[in-house]
């Protein structure tokens, strides 16, 4: 099967600085990949490129085996930003349906998909609420629903749960794993939290700076799920990652 996402020789410069120095990466369909590495090593820049928001200076990206050429190729790549970016003047439902704005999906189908996405993240009861009425965890769920409404083949997430308290974050991890298992979508996420990386990822990829590049890839598929951070084997992996960081 073709990789869900294949990245070849991706480079990016800002001014004189080489931010990404040639990134090669293949992600299998349904794989969950964690990107880790120190602040400023180019993780967000890489996700911006993978999402189609930022053109690379060199290299190319294939999605589902097809080389990307234009905007339409990215329709099924969703991007969950570090901030939830909910629009305060829209209800929860209208924030979620925003994910489909500008797409060719007809109105009835949009309504149905929006309702599905809200149900999937457990927000169907607050569809008409305003973002300011939501807790941090619910805002995060709304942002996730807005990503899911496009029925993404690839979901990109940039430190999506870093602002949540540990218990809420752990609930979001369960949601992501459940939704991924149901949908089969591919997930690539950035994190500073080694517990998050170990609990979620099939593979952990470490980047180093100057220029941003991949220095290590750790297969995690041998670690059984569900991964409870307090279980010895899981705790040990988290510890090992922390000492190497
Ligand atoms: N639009 C930009 N213009 C100039 N420099 C940038 C821009 N975006 C990011 N950078 C620089 O690129 C480097 C990598 O940034 P970033 O991708 O945000 O890192 P990370 O997400 O790993 O913390 C940093 O040194 C940052 O200052
Ligand atoms: Mg970043």
């Amino acid at each position: 099967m073709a990789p869900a996402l294949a990245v070849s020789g991706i480079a990016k410069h800002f001014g004189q600085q080489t931010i990404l120095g040639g990134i090669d990466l293949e992600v299998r369909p349904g794989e969950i990949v964690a990107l880790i590495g120190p602040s400023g090593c180019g993780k967000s820049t890489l996700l911006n490129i993978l999402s189609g928001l930022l053109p690379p200076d060199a290299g190319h990206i294939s999605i589902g085996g097809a080389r990307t050429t234009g905007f339409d190729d990215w329709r099924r790549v969703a991007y969950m930003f570090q901030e939830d970016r909910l629009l305060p003047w829209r209800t929860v439902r209208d924030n979620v349906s925003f994910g489909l704005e500008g797409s060719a999906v007809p109105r009835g189908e949009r309504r149905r998909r929006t309702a599905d996405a809200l149900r999937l993240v457990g927000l169907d009861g607050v569809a008409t609420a305003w973002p300011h009425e939501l807790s941090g965890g619910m805002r995060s769920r709304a942002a996730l629903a807005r990503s899911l409404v496009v029925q993404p083949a690839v979901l990109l997430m940039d430190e999506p749960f870093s602002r949540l308290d540990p218990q809420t974050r752990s609930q979001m991890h369960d949601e992501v794993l459940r939704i991924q298992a149901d949908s089969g979508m591919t997930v690539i996420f950035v994190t500073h939290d080694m517990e998050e990386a170990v609990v979620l990822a099939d593979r952990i990829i470490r980047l180093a700076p100057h220029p941003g590049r991949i220095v290590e890839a750790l297969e995690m598929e041998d670690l059984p799920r569900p991964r409870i951070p307090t279980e010895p084997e899981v705790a040990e992996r988290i510890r090992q990652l922390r000492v190497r960081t």
Side-chain angles (χ1 to χ4, degrees):
M1 208 187 315
L5 195 80
V7 167
S8 171
I10 289 291
K12 187 71 192 174
H13 311 276
F14 287 126
Q16 303 286 21
Q17 262 194 308
T18 301
I19 304 301
L20 295 174
I23 302 278
D24 297 310
L25 177 64
E26 281 198 2
V27 182
R28 302 184 291 272
E31 191 179 19
I32 305 178
V33 170
L35 299 176
I36 63 171
S39 247
C41 73
K43 303 180 297 296
S44 296
T45 302
L46 180 58
L47 279 203
N48 289 341
I49 291 171
L50 297 184
S51 69
L53 285 180
L54 184 71
D57 295 329
H60 49 80
I61 298 170
S62 295
I63 299 172
R67 180 85 72 94
T68 54
T69 52
F71 184 71
D72 268 352
D73 299 325
W74 267 280
R75 284 229 183 271
R76 294 198 61 215
V77 178
Y79 193 3
M80 193 171 160
F81 300 101
Q82 198 163 351
E83 327 78 48
D84 59 50
R85 298 198 189 180
L86 296 178
L87 302 171
W89 59 87
R90 286 179 169 233
T91 62
V92 170
R93 176 189 288 133
D94 290 344
N95 266 286
V96 171
S97 67
F98 185 71
L100 289 172
E101 240 154 73
S103 76
V105 177
R107 198 189 300 191
E109 168 77 7
R110 253 181 229 213
R111 255 199 305 268
R112 198 178 56 76
R113 281 213 215 169
T114 301
D116 285 349
L118 284 167
R119 203 173 314 112
L120 211 51
V121 301
L123 287 186
D124 35 333
V126 294
T128 57
W130 301 98
H132 77 265
E133 299 177 290
L134 304 184
S135 66
M138 289 161 94
R139 291 182 67 104
S140 191
R141 285 169 192 271
L144 180 59
R146 186 188 47 202
S147 300
L148 295 173
V149 81
V150 304
Q151 299 179 342
V154 179
L155 173 63
L156 307 171
M157 302 194 289
D158 196 355
E159 302 187 40
F161 310 127
S162 58
R163 292 171 191 199
L164 302 178
D165 62 83
Q167 194 187 340
T168 310
R169 189 182 312 149
S170 165
Q171 286 167 356
M172 293 309 297
H173 294 161
D174 292 344
E175 297 288 359
V176 167
L177 289 172
R178 177 179 60 81
I179 292 164
Q180 191 286 325
D182 285 351
S183 64
M185 69 185 174
T186 304
V187 180
I188 303 171
F189 71 101
V190 169
T191 188
H192 280 116
D193 177 358
M194 296 307 141
E195 178 176 314
E196 182 163 81
V198 169
V199 167
L200 292 182
D202 297 313
R203 187 162 44 133
I204 299 175
I205 289 177
R206 187 196 302 277
L207 289 99
H210 315 300
R213 63 198 188 280
I214 294 173
V215 289
E216 188 175 27
L218 296 164
E219 282 293 344
M220 302 296 290
E221 283 188 312
D222 60 315
L223 191 62
R225 297 177 184 275
R227 297 173 182 161
I228 317 289
T230 49
E231 280 177 4
E233 201 184 345
V234 179
E236 177 56 21
R237 293 289 182 103
I238 297 168
R239 197 193 60 78
Q240 283 171 3
L241 265 182
R242 284 189 180 138
V243 297
R244 287 157 80 163
T245 305

